[in-house]
């Protein structure tokens, strides 16, 4: 049997039941205000905010603790422009021929189209890559539950950005292969999602949508 080394778990802080309820209510209240934003301000903010959010994302659980993610932070205007150009080429194809009508019908209330100005306007793009495998000492090493692990880390990142007083947009052009080329990422990594982060533009509006109730999304046995 492998002799793994363990250390004492000293960071756990236990709360009284009433404190737990208050903390969970406060967190829920904060997160209910989170909305996906498509119109961003170009207002700058410290890179350290993004770095702290990425550290939080890096704390996410992962299969066999392989941490199969890589985050590329893009702020260079020229590179953001190239990303927008490449994305809009794919988006135009999507809206004109790739997407089935049912999908387009579902997107219509959200007011989206092939133009993606937020890719240039927002101060930061965080391109999240999923590592399909690792190469160590010239050998390909298997990773486990990569999509699930990266999805969890992305959720933590979105939450951290919202907690920091910013807004975000999850963006997934299809296909996304151009991101590997523009950002010089290896073939072992697959673009998972582009997370746009910043402040909302003045007079930003959002669709009047409702979230499902607890009764609709949860069951108890």
């Amino acid at each position: 049997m492998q002799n793994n080394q363990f250390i004492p778990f000293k960071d756990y802080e236990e709360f009284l039941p009433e404190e737990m309820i208050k903390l969970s209510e406060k967190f829920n209240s904060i997160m209910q205000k989170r909305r996906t934003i498509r119109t961003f301000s170009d207002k700058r903010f410290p890179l350290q905010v993004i770095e702290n959010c990425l550290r939080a994302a890096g704390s996410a659980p992962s299969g066999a603790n392989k941490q199969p993610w890589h985050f590329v932070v893009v702020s260079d205007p020229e590179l953001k422009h190239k990303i927008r150009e490449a994305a809009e080429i794919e988006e135009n194809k999507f809206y004109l021929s790739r997407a089935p009508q049912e999908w387009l019908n579902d997107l219509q209330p959200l007011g989206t189209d092939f133009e993606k100005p937020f890719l240039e306007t927002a101060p930061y793009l965080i391109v999240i890559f999923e590592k399909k495998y690792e190469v160590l000492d010239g050998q390909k090493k298997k990773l486990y539950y990569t999509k699930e692990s990266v999805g969890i880390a992305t959720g933590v990142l979105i939450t951290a950005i919202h907690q920091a007083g910013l807004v975000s947009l999850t963006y997934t052009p299809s296909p996304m292969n151009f991101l590997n080329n523009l950002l010089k990422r290896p073939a072992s990594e697959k673009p998972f999602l582009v997370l746009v982060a910043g402040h909302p533009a003045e007079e930003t509006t959002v669709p009047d949508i409702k979230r499902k109730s607890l009764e609709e999304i949860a069951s108890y046995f």
Side-chain angles (χ1 to χ4, degrees):
M1 180 181 293
Q2 185 176 356
N3 184 21
N4 292 324
Q5 186 171 357
F6 289 79
I7 60 174
F9 178 43
K10 296 181 178 180
D11 294 330
Y12 175 69
E13 183 179 0
E14 186 172 358
F15 297 100
L16 295 173
E18 55 269 26
E19 293 176 306
M20 295 167 64
I21 292 172
K22 287 181 180 179
L23 287 170
S24 60
E25 286 177 341
K26 181 178 180 180
F27 183 75
N28 176 54
S29 177
I30 292 171
M31 292 312 300
Q32 288 300 326
K33 297 175 184 177
R34 189 210 63 80
R35 292 298 304 265
T36 294
I37 299 299
R38 290 180 171 83
T39 51
F40 284 80
S41 164
D42 60 1
K43 182 179 179 181
R44 306 292 298 181
F45 57 90
L47 176 61
Q48 186 178 353
V49 176
I50 295 294
E51 292 176 336
N52 287 336
C53 292
L54 291 175
R55 289 187 182 97
S59 75
S62 62
N65 192 37
K66 294 296 185 178
Q67 303 168 55
W69 44 68
H70 187 85
F71 306 96
V72 180
V73 181
V74 182
S75 60
D76 178 70
E78 183 177 349
L79 185 51
K80 288 195 296 180
H81 178 69
K82 290 180 179 179
I83 291 174
R84 179 185 177 181
E85 281 188 323
E88 288 185 341
I89 289 173
E90 301 299 342
E91 291 286 1
N92 199 28
K93 295 176 184 177
F94 171 82
Y95 279 92
L96 288 177
S97 60
R98 288 176 180 163
Q101 190 58 47
E102 183 179 7
W103 194 346
L104 294 176
N105 292 342
D106 286 338
L107 287 174
Q108 189 173 10
L110 303 179
T112 63
D113 57 30
F114 79 93
E115 294 184 292
K116 307 299 177 184
F118 50 76
L119 292 173
E120 288 191 86
T121 308
Y124 291 106
L125 307 179
I126 306 172
V127 184
I128 303 164
F129 285 88
E130 170 193 358
K131 293 186 177 183
K132 306 299 290 185
Y133 58 89
E134 285 185 321
V135 179
L136 298 174
D137 299 324
Q139 299 292 318
K140 185 185 290 188
K141 301 294 184 180
K142 184 176 176 60
L143 299 176
Y144 311 94
Y145 299 103
T146 59
K147 193 170 296 296
E148 294 87 345
S149 301
V150 176
I152 295 169
T154 300
V156 174
L157 179 58
I158 293 169
T159 304
I161 286 173
H162 180 72
Q163 291 274 80
L166 300 170
V167 296
S168 67
L169 166 68
T170 55
Y171 176 53
T172 53
S174 180
M176 293 193 281
N177 307 354
F178 64 87
L179 291 168
N180 284 76
N181 297 327
L182 287 175
L183 302 177
K184 298 179 173 56
R185 299 310 304 166
S188 59
E189 297 179 5
K190 179 181 179 181
F192 182 80
L193 185 145
V194 179
L195 191 65
V196 187
H199 292 93
E202 291 187 19
E203 301 180 356
T204 287
T205 61
V206 294
D208 185 14
I209 58 176
K210 306 298 181 203
R211 292 187 169 107
K212 292 181 178 180
S213 67
L214 181 60
E215 290 72 22
E216 293 176 286
I217 65 173
S219 300
Y220 306 86
F221 293 93

